[in-house]
Amino acid sequence: MSRRVRRKVAKKGKEKVVLPSYPEIEDGVLASGRIELVDWTSLPDDTVIQLFSCLNYRDRASLASTCRTWRVLGASPCLWSSLDFRAHKCDAAMASSLSSRCANLWKLRFRGAESAEAIIHLQARNLREISGDYCRKITDATLSVIVARHELLESLQLGPDFSERITSDAIKAIAFCCPKLKKLRLSGIRDVSADAINTLAKYCPYLFDIGFLDCLNVSEVALGNVPSVRYLSIAGTSSMKWNVVSHLWHKLPKLIGLDVSRTDIDPAAVSRLLSSSPSLKVLCALSCPVLEEDASFSTNRYKGKLLLALFTDIFETLASLFVDTTKKGKNVLLDWRNSAMKDKNIDDIMIWLEWILSHTLLRTAESNPQGLDDFWLKQGAAILLSLMQSSQEEVQERAATGLATFVVIDDENASIDCKRAEAIMRDGGIRLLLDLANSWREGLQSEAAKAIANLSVNANVAKAVAEEGGIDILAGLARSMNRLVAEEAAGGLWNLSVGEEHKGAIAEAGGVNALVDLIFKWSSGGDGVLERAAGALANLAADDKCSMEVALAGGVHALVMLARNCKFEGVQEQAARALANLAAHGDSNTNNAAVGQEAGALEALVQLTRSPHEGVRQEAAGALWNLSFDDRNREAIAAAGGVEALVALAQACSHASPGLQERAAGALWGLSVSEANSIAIGREGGVAPLIALARSEAEDVHETAAGALWNLAFNPGNALRIVEEGGVPALVHLCSSSGSKMARFMAALALAYMFDGRMDEFALIGTSSESGSKSVNLDGARRMALKHIEAFVLKFSDPPAFAAAAASSASGALAQVTERARIQEAGHLRCSGSEIGRFVAMLRNPSSILKACAAFALLQFTIPGGRHAVHHASLIQSSGAARVLRSAAAAATAPVEAKIFARIVLRNLEHHKMEPSI
């Protein structure tokens, strides 16, 4: 690791404040153009305080350490009234270092058990609000200590994930210790006993907002004994006795809002509650299957009572709360927020409803039940967009997370519902999300970036994000010191970089440098951010120009570091894919060689081919395939154990995906260009698995397996091995039946190599001293091979065109034959001088079939416009092969195919003589 995130220290007097190793956000968002000769310390105090208020506590402390004046201002109590620890690894030491600033701390948000245990070290005795998530490991003991140290607590929320280790004993401790408690919302508790609820009723007289969400058991009778409750939610709680509920809860004297969403409440209970409770105004029953199945249930008979359900018009129902009838349609929440006339009672209801709706819609989106398409398209998306504009930050975050979640159909394959995504775009959701992502609040940045990332899987949404300036915003967020923000921003860049039209814009926005820096910044402890950063770089590296940007930014070193050191398979897969794409531009830049020369790169990729995860093996093999096009890399891969590893991979992937099979065979194809490697592959047992892969049903696998066998067949020992392992029938099948012209072509060339006479002498002594030859019928195999080589060549001949070409040497006639015989992909093949020499020698072979095949092959390699045509023409000309070609073209006994193809090759050589690059 070449760079590390430095732990910054702010000092106050003799006190040392060590800030966390998982910091939140960089102050780059404040950086505008540099203005010369500005004395920042001369700013008015209130301006500096306003500046500090836009920063998280880490940056406040860092900025305050710059001078004495700012140190004093940075400690102003108004700047430390709230803290958000969710992006931090907050432990006791860090909390203690901040304690001197927390005397007036009112509100705290945290994540996880370690942060919960650290809260008491803040010594924030005036704390009024605590909100925590990821609370599965928080115990009764931890929660009891927290509430015992904060007796002024008015609001405690744990969720929305389950608090599995918290019991009724902790709830009783809350009641005993927090007499001023007004709001208690707990999620996922197994059992909320009557004793615990009765203790709350006795010791917390101001408790007006209770939420026991997604619990297994809650005492219905005891909840009916809490006279102070005005808002009650039991959403997602099972095992409720609705008959008891409907006969008790209507007696609650102050109950205004009741949330029974995601429960099995029945129509009878809903009816009794709405008709019997004099104070109840709003009953929220979203995603209640039993209620929704009753088509006869009507809400019109409960005057002055509101029922929110999936079968109601939620916007219209909310509008009925207001005397002002102009508050209608999808703007009802926005109109309420902007209203000059305020009604505290209505405001309290609406604030509660925003929280309830955001929670329930998020939970519903997470469970993704069937049959909600109509709701999401007509109401759900619009409600979430409206909630994103709430004044409650937590509601905004959950609404953004809901948007990120409800569009996803399949997490594994990154599939989203296009109609839902476009509904968000149609209602202006992209601009809203980008505005949230561009705010200074990191929780909003993170959740908005997540939504943008998921939505950008849709090409139309991705285009809209780019047009609205989203690429610049995401590139900026990717530089954040908040790991959660950077992770989601990298995910957005990953999805956007799928589109070819966005790659250049990402590079121009500084996205490449930001992504590379992320890898160094979070090289340990950040698997999510590393996978997204590497995935985005992999997409960008597929573009020639962007691949150079990645290399210039230090991307090769960063990606090799991941491939060598990271143990998370998602990171390994994306790092290997990125290296494969960087190495794929060998003809246009030097990245291929650069990757191979990076210390440990080839060894790491060879090791990854042994991974237990197929995706990792596939991408590592693909990278080695691309890297093997460079001569130095090819030999270095072999020296790093690549031959043994790739043969083992080929042997093990007979039942794997076509993608892995293609890359395993392709990597062996690339290595086998070297004769030494080719011999090593044969000795290592690589022939048999390649023959097995040649029988694959996938055309891409046909090509790579045939290519590898073609290279191997150049060596007589390997040629005999191919015969012994039953390779002739496999190659014959490819030659005659594959849907890929390239596979058929290379299979024919492999068969031609095998039976041009060189193998016969070798067969007399066996393949090697280590293993004796199997009993094979070489004559029968030869006849089968030659028959199918001839049939293959004839498929590319047109008798009338051949007759015209034989009668005239006019270029038009030869061009007609060329066009018929052209195999477009063959122009990408690059042959060595020895291979070209072997085809030239084959023109002298007694077999007319091999002569025709050799001329046909030379035609493919020299057709003008082919990637390596000039190279091949130079090899032919420098070897003096023109005389052999003229002899073949003029031979009276040669087949017409050989003569015409030889004449075309001679014409191609004349064409390439005029090219200065020869």
Side-chain angles (χ1 to χ4, degrees):
M1 183 164 53
S2 63
R3 291 195 286 176
R4 180 182 293 275
V5 179
R6 193 172 63 185
R7 293 168 65 91
K8 295 189 177 179
V9 176
K11 294 182 179 179
K12 182 180 180 182
K14 296 181 180 179
E15 181 179 45
K16 183 178 180 182
V17 180
V18 181
L19 296 163
S21 54
Y22 293 91
E24 290 191 348
I25 188 171
E26 65 178 3
D27 54 3
V29 293
L30 297 174
S32 56
R34 178 177 294 178
I35 301 175
E36 299 295 335
L37 304 177
V38 172
D39 182 5
W40 291 95
T41 61
S42 66
L43 290 172
D45 290 354
D46 56 349
T47 302
V48 174
I49 290 176
Q50 185 64 33
L51 176 70
F52 273 84
S53 71
C54 294
L55 301 177
N56 61 77
Y57 76 86
R58 174 196 178 273
D59 289 331
R60 288 176 199 163
S62 296
L63 199 56
S65 67
T66 58
C67 68
R68 183 178 303 172
T69 301
W70 282 17
R71 186 178 302 124
V72 173
L73 294 175
S76 300
C78 64
L79 295 175
W80 297 90
S81 61
S82 67
L83 287 178
D84 186 347
F85 283 158
R86 288 175 299 164
H88 298 256
K89 185 177 180 179
C90 177
D91 55 19
M94 188 270 285
S96 297
S97 70
L98 291 171
S99 61
S100 63
R101 303 167 188 262
C102 296
N104 295 291
L105 185 65
W106 275 56
K107 182 176 181 179
L108 175 68
R109 300 183 73 178
F110 72 92
R111 173 165 291 166
E114 185 177 15
S115 293
E117 293 170 356
I119 289 175
I120 58 172
H121 297 283
L122 291 172
Q123 299 181 24
R125 303 305 295 258
N126 291 315
L127 200 60
R128 300 296 199 275
E129 297 181 30
I130 295 178
S131 176
D133 54 19
Y134 288 85
C135 299
R136 290 182 183 274
K137 296 183 179 180
I138 295 179
T139 63
D140 282 358
T142 298
L143 186 55
S144 297
V145 171
I146 289 174
V147 296
R149 296 291 184 91
H150 303 98
E151 63 275 6
L152 299 180
L153 204 62
E154 296 178 359
S155 173
L156 176 62
Q157 301 183 69
L158 300 180
D161 49 303
F162 296 165
S163 307
E164 297 174 340
R165 300 175 67 178
I166 293 175
T167 71
S168 292
D169 289 340
I171 297 175
K172 291 167 66 176
I174 294 169
F176 290 136
C177 298
C178 304
K180 296 187 177 182
L181 193 67
K182 298 178 180 178
K183 184 186 299 180
L184 178 66
R185 294 170 180 165
L186 304 176
S187 295
I189 296 177
R190 294 183 181 277
D191 182 71
V192 183
S193 67
D195 189 26
I197 296 173
N198 288 332
T199 305
L200 284 172
K202 180 177 180 180
Y203 291 98
C204 301
Y206 307 108
L207 184 60
F208 71 88
D209 188 335
I210 298 176
F212 293 123
L213 302 96
D214 297 293
C215 299
L216 292 181
N217 294 290
V218 177
S219 173
E220 307 91 343
V221 175
L223 280 175
N225 296 331
V226 187
S228 61
V229 66
R230 297 203 296 270
Y231 301 102
L232 174 60
S233 176
I234 52 168
T237 293
S238 55
S239 305
M240 298 297 294
K241 299 180 181 65
W242 296 112
N243 185 53
V244 175
V245 167
S246 60
H247 284 90
L248 284 178
W249 290 7
H250 73 273
K251 299 176 183 178
L252 290 167
K254 298 181 180 180
L255 185 63
I256 296 172
L258 176 61
D259 176 27
V260 295
S261 299
R262 300 181 294 109
T263 66
D264 59 355
I265 192 169
D266 56 73
V270 171
S271 181
R272 280 194 295 271
L273 285 167
L274 288 173
S275 60
S276 303
S277 175
S279 59
L280 186 62
K281 292 184 179 294
V282 181
L283 195 154
C284 190
L286 297 170
S287 295
C288 296
V290 178
L291 178 63
E292 291 155 11
E293 288 168 5
D294 187 348
S296 63
F297 187 81
S298 173
T299 61
N300 296 329
R301 53 190 174 181
Y302 307 107
K303 301 298 182 182
K305 305 293 178 75
L306 276 59
L307 175 65
L308 303 181
L310 295 183
F311 52 80
T312 65
D313 186 325
I314 293 175
F315 285 113
E316 183 178 324
T317 303
L318 292 176
S320 65
L321 273 173
F322 302 94
V323 175
D324 184 355
T325 57
T326 61
K327 294 181 173 65
K328 293 182 179 179
K330 294 181 179 180
N331 291 325
V332 60
L333 290 173
L334 185 61
D335 290 342
W336 159 67
R337 295 184 199 110
N338 295 333
S339 175
M341 300 294 292
K342 296 295 183 181
D343 183 324
K344 185 179 185 306
N345 293 328
I346 297 296
D347 289 349
D348 288 345
I349 293 173
M350 293 298 290
I351 289 170
W352 177 76
L353 279 173
E354 282 192 332
W355 193 93
I356 290 301
L357 287 171
S358 67
H359 185 279
T360 292
L361 291 180
L362 174 56
R363 278 297 195 209
T364 303
E366 289 171 342
S367 61
N368 195 26
Q370 298 296 314
L372 290 188
D373 283 350
D374 193 56
F375 167 76
W376 285 122
L377 293 176
K378 290 184 177 178
Q379 296 195 76
I383 294 171
L384 288 171
L385 290 174
S386 186
L387 292 174
M388 277 172 47
Q389 302 170 74
S390 169
S391 59
Q392 301 179 73
E393 184 179 350
E394 190 174 355
V395 170
Q396 288 181 300
E397 288 180 18
R398 288 189 181 174
T401 309
L403 288 177
T405 306
F406 95 108
V407 296
V408 178
I409 299 172
D410 183 352
D411 285 332
E412 195 69 28
N413 297 311
S415 299
I416 68 169
D417 188 301
C418 293
K419 290 184 179 178
R420 296 181 186 181
E422 291 179 6
I424 294 170
M425 182 170 62
R426 186 172 53 251
D427 289 342
I430 303 304
R431 185 67 264 163
L432 286 173
L433 284 167
L434 290 174
D435 286 344
L436 286 186
N438 211 24
S439 74
W440 62 272
R441 296 183 181 274
E442 293 160 309
L444 296 179
Q445 290 175 347
S446 174
E447 299 309 318
K450 180 190 298 181
I452 293 166
N454 286 358
L455 289 164
S456 294
V457 172
N458 179 279
N460 291 331
V461 176
K463 181 181 178 181
V465 169
E467 290 174 348
E468 293 275 3
I471 289 175
D472 286 323
I473 291 173
L474 290 172
L477 293 180
R479 301 183 183 94
S480 173
M481 295 297 288
N482 180 324
R483 181 178 58 81
L484 301 179
V485 174
E487 181 174 322
E488 300 302 346
L493 294 175
W494 187 3
N495 287 341
L496 283 167
S497 62
V498 171
E500 294 298 322
E501 66 274 26
H502 304 314
K503 289 182 168 66
I506 292 172
E508 289 176 9
V512 170
N513 285 283
L515 291 164
V516 171
D517 287 344
L518 278 182
I519 294 175
F520 292 117
K521 189 184 299 180
W522 305 106
S523 57
S524 61
D527 292 339
V529 69
L530 293 176
E531 180 180 14
R532 287 163 173 78
L537 289 172
N539 287 349
L540 293 168
D543 176 81
D544 184 20
K545 184 177 179 181
C546 288
S547 74
M548 297 175 68
E549 295 272 354
V550 172
L552 288 172
V556 173
H557 180 65
L559 293 164
V560 169
M561 179 182 70
L562 292 183
R564 293 180 64 185
N565 301 329
C566 190
K567 304 305 179 185
F568 179 61
E569 64 270 17
V571 178
Q572 293 174 337
E573 181 177 346
Q574 296 308 322
R577 185 169 73 92
L579 291 171
N581 287 345
L582 281 172
H585 307 283
D587 291 340
S588 55
N589 62 48
T590 60
N591 288 348
N592 189 306
V595 173
Q597 292 165 13
E598 182 69 30
L602 301 180
E603 291 83 357
L605 290 168
V606 168
Q607 184 61 36
L608 290 181
T609 64
R610 301 185 177 97
S611 167
H613 304 282
E614 182 171 316
V616 177
R617 297 196 300 273
Q618 176 173 312
E619 299 301 342
L624 292 172
W625 181 12
N626 286 347
L627 289 164
S628 67
F629 285 97
D630 181 88
D631 294 340
R632 288 172 297 177
N633 287 344
R634 190 183 305 124
E635 303 312 317
I637 291 169
V643 170
E644 297 83 356
L646 289 167
V647 168
L649 181 61
Q651 290 169 338
C653 72
S654 56
H655 299 293
S657 67
L660 176 55
Q661 292 178 339
E662 177 196 11
R663 287 162 176 79
L668 288 172
W669 182 12
L671 286 185
S672 62
V673 169
S674 158
E675 186 171 7
N677 289 345
S678 176
I679 294 171
I681 291 168
R683 288 177 177 170
E684 193 66 29
V687 169
L690 285 168
I691 291 172
L693 292 177
R695 297 189 177 101
S696 168
E697 296 181 358
E699 292 180 8
D700 290 341
V701 182
H702 292 174
E703 291 185 6
T704 54
L709 290 170
W710 171 35
N711 281 353
L712 291 175
F714 189 81
N715 175 265
N718 283 337
L720 185 56
R721 285 188 178 92
I722 294 171
V723 177
E724 291 172 345
E725 296 289 349
V728 172
L731 288 167
V732 161
H733 179 72
L734 281 188
C735 184
S736 60
S737 305
S738 176
S740 164
K741 287 183 180 180
M742 269 290 284
R744 286 157 52 198
F745 176 52
M746 289 186 291
L749 298 187
L751 291 169
Y753 276 176
M754 292 163 62
F755 295 104
D756 68 352
R758 302 190 186 199
M759 180 178 63
D760 296 347
E761 294 181 9
F762 194 86
L764 296 176
I765 59 173
T767 56
S768 68
S769 59
E770 290 85 4
S771 61
S773 298
K774 298 178 181 178
S775 177
V776 293
N777 182 353
L778 287 180
D779 289 337
R782 181 182 292 106
R783 286 194 297 271
M784 181 191 301
L786 293 177
K787 175 184 174 182
H788 285 85
I789 292 171
E790 181 180 30
F792 168 76
V793 174
L794 289 176
K795 284 182 181 179
F796 291 89
S797 65
D798 179 29
F802 269 62
S808 169
S809 60
S811 59
L814 294 178
Q816 187 175 356
V817 174
T818 302
E819 195 55 38
R820 168 82 183 202
R822 180 195 295 265
I823 299 176
Q824 195 69 40
E825 298 86 350
H828 298 300
L829 295 174
R830 180 184 176 93
C831 297
S832 66
S834 57
E835 289 174 298
I836 293 295
R838 190 157 180 176
F839 285 117
V840 172
M842 210 179 289
L843 292 171
R844 302 191 186 99
N845 196 287
S847 168
S848 61
I849 295 173
L850 291 179
K851 286 180 180 179
C853 181
F856 180 79
L858 292 171
L859 180 153
Q860 303 301 325
F861 300 146
T862 58
I863 290 177
R867 181 183 296 178
H868 304 295
V870 175
H871 166 73
H872 294 147
S874 177
L875 292 176
I876 294 171
Q877 290 168 336
S878 62
S879 67
R883 181 174 57 83
V884 180
L885 286 163
R886 284 193 290 271
S887 296
T893 58
V896 65
E897 294 85 10
K899 292 194 288 186
I900 299 303
F901 290 150
R903 287 169 59 186
I904 296 172
V905 175
L906 287 167
R907 188 194 65 167
N908 291 344
L909 295 180
E910 289 297 319
H911 172 84
H912 292 303
K913 273 185 180 179
M914 297 182 294
E915 298 191 14
S917 57
I918 294 179

